[in-house]
Amino acid sequence: MILKSYAADPLKTLGRQCIETKSTTRNDFQRDRDRIIHSSAFRRLEYKTQVFVNHEGDMFRTRLTHSIEVSQISRGITRTLGCHEDLAETIALAHDLGHTPFGHAGQDALNNCMKVHGGFEHNLQSLRVVDFLERRYASFDGLNLTFESREGILKHCSINNARNLGSIGERFINKKQPSLEAQIVNIADEIAYNNHDVDDGFRSGLLDFKALMQNTLFSRCAKVVNETYSNINDGQKINEVVRRMIHLLIKDVCTQSQKNLDNYQPKSINTVRNLPHLIDFSASIKKEQYELKQFLRHAMYEHPHVAKMTQDAGKTVEKLFTHYIKKPQAIPENFSMNRPADSARMVADYIAGMTDRFAIQAASEL
Ligand code: MG
């Protein structure tokens, strides 16, 4: 792997909040990645979902398999562009750590419950997990990750919250960009979820081949598949189309981003932070990708089956929140340790950390 001058460099990291002796076997980004893999929040991703609730079937993506897919796509793009693969892998594996149970439905419900207490943002929550909520080390709370990993994990943040975050929040106030590795994970996330929503959507019966053919990107790839294979079933066809779409999108990102890099010629990660964002799709593919995203939103997320599940999930989160806000002593001691007992934030942290099935079980026992 040839690293370009604009890549993040573990030897020049802006460092950890708590100074530690360097590892002799791993660079700083690899060490961050390993801390994430060994965290309990990472293990819980296995039982958290995006669209389908965990018990609906074993074939659908979970947050864990999604994070691994994002990591795979990110690593491919970083290698092609000469960026730092370890940092991209770290950010990708951690990017969804702050997600509540039940995907967006859970997040919306928790945000609603927290309205008068400063709200709830899942990106900020991912940072809270690695900065504070994981308690594995004697010398510090959280995982004490490098600035570069934390910068990438905090993808979005409201200006109000950014003001309370010190140096990690500054870029939202000053409208600056994160590292290229962080930008790559961002776009890899989009590639991963649109494509696995097509795949899971088809498998669940919410989407059919004919409906998918209304999409420019999908139908373009499907045309190639139809011309190449005459005798395959719809399931095989979907797989062949999805892998072509992923390939096409990755290739497009690499080509367009390389053009942007050639154009701006950033000499360092710091120059990157002061330029417009450089990792992007070409204009035409961006349009097609957006079309697919809108289609999926309508066909899947607004499907009566998913809408019903969304409603139930929202009610579960509200029920849990109402209960724990009145009875914070019901929160396990090892979680509430050293925190103000009346803190709504503690309740939100506790609920956000739950898996789908844990939340369902806890709500049913109330
Ligand atoms: Mg994601």
Side-chain angles (χ1 to χ4, degrees):
M1 180 172 73
I2 301 161
L3 278 183
K4 296 289 173 63
S5 61
Y6 47 66
D9 181 352
L11 294 173
K12 293 183 196 151
T13 170
L14 294 177
R16 303 176 188 278
Q17 288 175 299
C18 181
I19 295 167
E20 292 184 69
T21 321
K22 296 266 178 198
S23 163
T24 51
T25 53
R26 299 164 295 168
N27 71 45
D28 272 321
F29 300 150
Q30 291 172 334
R31 196 180 202 188
D32 284 359
R33 174 203 56 206
D34 297 347
R35 287 186 175 179
I36 287 154
I37 290 174
H38 289 271
S39 71
S40 98
F42 185 70
R43 286 194 292 280
R44 272 176 276 134
L45 291 178
E46 185 175 1
Y47 303 102
K48 291 191 181 196
T49 46
Q50 314 211 106
V51 183
F52 301 93
V53 174
N54 193 259
H55 62 250
E56 285 195 281
D58 294 341
M59 311 99 77
F60 303 126
R61 262 74 172 185
T62 66
R63 292 258 172 216
L64 180 66
T65 57
H66 163 69
S67 301
I68 294 169
E69 289 181 11
V70 174
S71 156
Q72 180 268 324
I73 293 170
S74 304
R75 289 165 60 196
I77 301 172
T78 38
R79 273 196 301 271
T80 309
L81 297 177
C83 295
H84 209 291
E85 190 177 336
D86 295 330
L87 178 60
E89 183 183 15
T90 303
I91 298 169
L93 293 179
H95 86 283
D96 269 356
L97 287 179
H99 268 282
T100 61
F102 318 124
H104 296 290
Q107 130 104 10
D108 291 346
L110 194 53
N111 188 28
N112 229 353
C113 296
M114 286 293 287
K115 225 169 214 157
V116 291
H117 310 282
F120 178 89
E121 296 175 20
H122 67 259
N123 282 127
L124 185 57
Q125 192 67 14
S126 297
L127 188 70
R128 281 178 67 72
V129 169
V130 299
D131 274 2
F132 176 62
L133 294 172
E134 277 293 321
R135 292 186 175 161
R136 319 178 52 79
Y137 301 94
S139 313
F140 44 78
D141 280 343
L143 304 176
N144 197 31
L145 303 182
T146 59
F147 179 91
E148 292 76 7
S149 296
R150 298 172 62 233
E151 171 192 54
I153 290 168
L154 191 62
K155 182 166 84 173
H156 298 298
C157 181
S158 65
I159 298 283
N160 264 347
N161 283 323
R163 290 202 178 96
N164 301 320
L165 292 173
S167 56
I168 210 80
E170 276 168 18
R171 81 173 159 96
F172 299 97
I173 300 162
N174 303 329
K175 308 222 176 324
K176 301 272 171 74
Q177 301 302 323
S179 67
L180 292 170
E181 289 79 359
Q183 296 181 37
I184 289 170
V185 174
N186 210 346
I187 215 157
D189 188 20
E190 206 170 307
I191 296 176
Y193 69 66
N194 275 342
N195 281 287
H196 65 53
D197 279 356
V198 168
D199 191 21
D200 283 354
F202 176 79
R203 201 141 3 135
S204 64
L206 298 185
L207 302 176
D208 62 42
F209 203 87
K210 222 173 111 195
L212 282 162
M213 284 298 277
Q214 296 162 17
N215 288 282
T216 318
L217 183 65
F218 185 93
S219 65
R220 203 141 57 85
C221 294
K223 196 167 166 264
V224 180
V225 173
N226 281 332
E227 282 164 6
T228 316
Y229 305 100
S230 54
N231 216 357
I232 55 174
N233 64 38
D234 278 0
Q236 287 169 306
K237 240 186 237 177
I238 291 279
N239 289 341
E240 289 292 336
V241 175
V242 166
R243 61 188 277 245
R244 278 170 178 77
M245 288 200 297
I246 295 176
H247 174 74
L248 190 147
L249 293 170
I250 291 176
K251 223 175 105 188
D252 182 75
V253 167
C254 290
T255 312
Q256 182 61 47
S257 306
Q258 190 60 61
K259 268 189 210 159
N260 297 345
L261 288 163
D262 293 344
N263 187 20
Y264 283 98
Q265 307 223 353
K267 291 280 173 285
S268 71
I269 182 171
N270 248 339
T271 328
V272 167
R273 291 188 175 113
N274 290 299
L275 289 170
H277 82 278
L278 300 177
I279 304 298
D280 212 345
F281 295 116
S282 64
S284 64
I285 290 291
K286 195 188 273 184
K287 220 171 117 198
E288 291 183 16
Q289 163 85 354
Y290 183 73
E291 181 199 336
L292 181 64
K293 199 169 161 177
Q294 293 300 100
F295 167 82
L296 289 170
R297 174 163 298 174
H298 179 68
M300 274 182 82
Y301 292 80
E302 290 165 18
H303 190 281
H305 172 82
V306 178
K308 164 84 173 64
M309 200 205 72
T310 304
Q311 243 180 20
D312 294 348
K315 280 188 204 144
T316 303
V317 169
E318 273 166 38
K319 193 173 167 186
L320 289 168
F321 189 84
T322 315
H323 173 71
Y324 289 114
I325 221 67
K326 273 195 232 143
K327 237 182 136 193
Q329 65 274 20
I331 293 177
E333 208 185 330
N334 64 351
F335 188 87
S336 58
M337 200 171 52
N338 302 330
R339 302 189 63 181
D342 59 346
S343 154
R345 186 59 57 190
M346 177 179 75
V347 173
D349 286 340
Y350 184 56
I351 295 172
M354 291 180 179
T355 61
D356 296 359
R357 59 181 189 178
F358 187 95
I360 291 169
Q361 180 69 26
S364 76
E365 281 169 10
L366 297 183

